[in-house]
PDB file of all heavy atoms in Angstrom:
ATOM      1  N   ALA A   9     -44.730  38.097  18.858  1.00  0.00           N
ATOM      2  CA  ALA A   9     -45.298  36.943  18.167  1.00  0.00           C
ATOM      3  C   ALA A   9     -45.601  35.839  19.169  1.00  0.00           C
ATOM      4  O   ALA A   9     -44.850  35.625  20.120  1.00  0.00           O
ATOM      5  CB  ALA A   9     -44.316  36.419  17.117  1.00  0.00           C
ATOM      6  N   ILE A  10     -46.715  35.148  18.946  1.00  0.00           N
ATOM      7  CA  ILE A  10     -47.051  33.953  19.721  1.00  0.00           C
ATOM      8  C   ILE A  10     -47.114  32.776  18.761  1.00  0.00           C
ATOM      9  O   ILE A  10     -47.747  32.860  17.699  1.00  0.00           O
ATOM     10  CB  ILE A  10     -48.394  34.099  20.456  1.00  0.00           C
ATOM     11  CG1 ILE A  10     -48.304  35.206  21.506  1.00  0.00           C
ATOM     12  CG2 ILE A  10     -48.802  32.781  21.111  1.00  0.00           C
ATOM     13  CD1 ILE A  10     -49.587  35.414  22.286  1.00  0.00           C
ATOM     14  N   ILE A  11     -46.444  31.694  19.140  1.00  0.00           N
ATOM     15  CA  ILE A  11     -46.440  30.472  18.341  1.00  0.00           C
ATOM     16  C   ILE A  11     -46.914  29.334  19.221  1.00  0.00           C
ATOM     17  O   ILE A  11     -46.278  28.995  20.225  1.00  0.00           O
ATOM     18  CB  ILE A  11     -45.025  30.156  17.812  1.00  0.00           C
ATOM     19  CG1 ILE A  11     -44.511  31.295  16.937  1.00  0.00           C
ATOM     20  CG2 ILE A  11     -45.026  28.826  17.052  1.00  0.00           C
ATOM     21  CD1 ILE A  11     -43.065  31.136  16.511  1.00  0.00           C
ATOM     22  N   THR A  12     -48.045  28.729  18.874  1.00  0.00           N
ATOM     23  CA  THR A  12     -48.497  27.567  19.636  1.00  0.00           C
ATOM     24  C   THR A  12     -47.759  26.333  19.118  1.00  0.00           C
ATOM     25  O   THR A  12     -47.500  26.202  17.918  1.00  0.00           O
ATOM     26  CB  THR A  12     -50.018  27.353  19.526  1.00  0.00           C
ATOM     27  OG1 THR A  12     -50.366  26.955  18.191  1.00  0.00           O
ATOM     28  CG2 THR A  12     -50.779  28.617  19.901  1.00  0.00           C
ATOM     29  N   GLY A  13     -47.404  25.436  20.028  1.00  0.00           N
ATOM     30  CA  GLY A  13     -46.617  24.272  19.633  1.00  0.00           C
ATOM     31  C   GLY A  13     -45.250  24.678  19.129  1.00  0.00           C
ATOM     32  O   GLY A  13     -44.765  24.174  18.114  1.00  0.00           O
ATOM     33  N   GLY A  14     -44.607  25.596  19.857  1.00  0.00           N
ATOM     34  CA  GLY A  14     -43.350  26.174  19.376  1.00  0.00           C
ATOM     35  C   GLY A  14     -42.084  25.483  19.836  1.00  0.00           C
ATOM     36  O   GLY A  14     -40.989  25.977  19.563  1.00  0.00           O
ATOM     37  N   ASN A  15     -42.207  24.344  20.519  1.00  0.00           N
ATOM     38  CA  ASN A  15     -41.008  23.726  21.075  1.00  0.00           C
ATOM     39  C   ASN A  15     -40.353  22.698  20.152  1.00  0.00           C
ATOM     40  O   ASN A  15     -39.306  22.143  20.476  1.00  0.00           O
ATOM     41  CB  ASN A  15     -41.309  23.071  22.430  1.00  0.00           C
ATOM     42  CG  ASN A  15     -42.404  22.047  22.361  1.00  0.00           C
ATOM     43  OD1 ASN A  15     -43.572  22.409  22.374  1.00  0.00           O
ATOM     44  ND2 ASN A  15     -42.052  20.764  22.280  1.00  0.00           N
ATOM     45  N   SER A  16     -40.955  22.433  18.981  1.00  0.00           N
ATOM     46  CA  SER A  16     -40.338  21.476  18.057  1.00  0.00           C
ATOM     47  C   SER A  16     -40.835  21.732  16.641  1.00  0.00           C
ATOM     48  O   SER A  16     -41.783  22.497  16.423  1.00  0.00           O
ATOM     49  CB  SER A  16     -40.664  20.032  18.463  1.00  0.00           C
ATOM     50  OG  SER A  16     -42.060  19.791  18.349  1.00  0.00           O
ATOM     51  N   GLY A  17     -40.189  21.090  15.675  1.00  0.00           N
ATOM     52  CA  GLY A  17     -40.645  21.091  14.297  1.00  0.00           C
ATOM     53  C   GLY A  17     -40.826  22.465  13.679  1.00  0.00           C
ATOM     54  O   GLY A  17     -39.977  23.350  13.807  1.00  0.00           O
ATOM     55  N   ILE A  18     -41.938  22.659  12.999  1.00  0.00           N
ATOM     56  CA  ILE A  18     -42.206  23.903  12.280  1.00  0.00           C
ATOM     57  C   ILE A  18     -42.318  25.079  13.239  1.00  0.00           C
ATOM     58  O   ILE A  18     -41.839  26.179  12.945  1.00  0.00           O
ATOM     59  CB  ILE A  18     -43.480  23.747  11.424  1.00  0.00           C
ATOM     60  CG1 ILE A  18     -43.212  22.787  10.255  1.00  0.00           C
ATOM     61  CG2 ILE A  18     -43.971  25.100  10.913  1.00  0.00           C
ATOM     62  CD1 ILE A  18     -44.454  22.333   9.518  1.00  0.00           C
ATOM     63  N   GLY A  19     -42.936  24.865  14.407  1.00  0.00           N
ATOM     64  CA  GLY A  19     -43.051  25.942  15.391  1.00  0.00           C
ATOM     65  C   GLY A  19     -41.701  26.433  15.868  1.00  0.00           C
ATOM     66  O   GLY A  19     -41.464  27.653  15.970  1.00  0.00           O
ATOM     67  N   TYR A  20     -40.805  25.505  16.135  1.00  0.00           N
ATOM     68  CA  TYR A  20     -39.449  25.833  16.599  1.00  0.00           C
ATOM     69  C   TYR A  20     -38.702  26.605  15.504  1.00  0.00           C
ATOM     70  O   TYR A  20     -38.086  27.644  15.767  1.00  0.00           O
ATOM     71  CB  TYR A  20     -38.713  24.545  16.951  1.00  0.00           C
ATOM     72  CG  TYR A  20     -37.333  24.734  17.558  1.00  0.00           C
ATOM     73  CD1 TYR A  20     -37.151  24.624  18.937  1.00  0.00           C
ATOM     74  CD2 TYR A  20     -36.216  24.980  16.763  1.00  0.00           C
ATOM     75  CE1 TYR A  20     -35.879  24.771  19.502  1.00  0.00           C
ATOM     76  CE2 TYR A  20     -34.957  25.133  17.313  1.00  0.00           C
ATOM     77  CZ  TYR A  20     -34.787  25.023  18.688  1.00  0.00           C
ATOM     78  OH  TYR A  20     -33.536  25.177  19.238  1.00  0.00           O
TER      79      TYR A  20
END
Side-chain angles (χ1 to χ4, degrees):
I10 295 180
I11 300 173
T12 68
N15 57 279
S16 65
I18 290 168
Y20 185 101

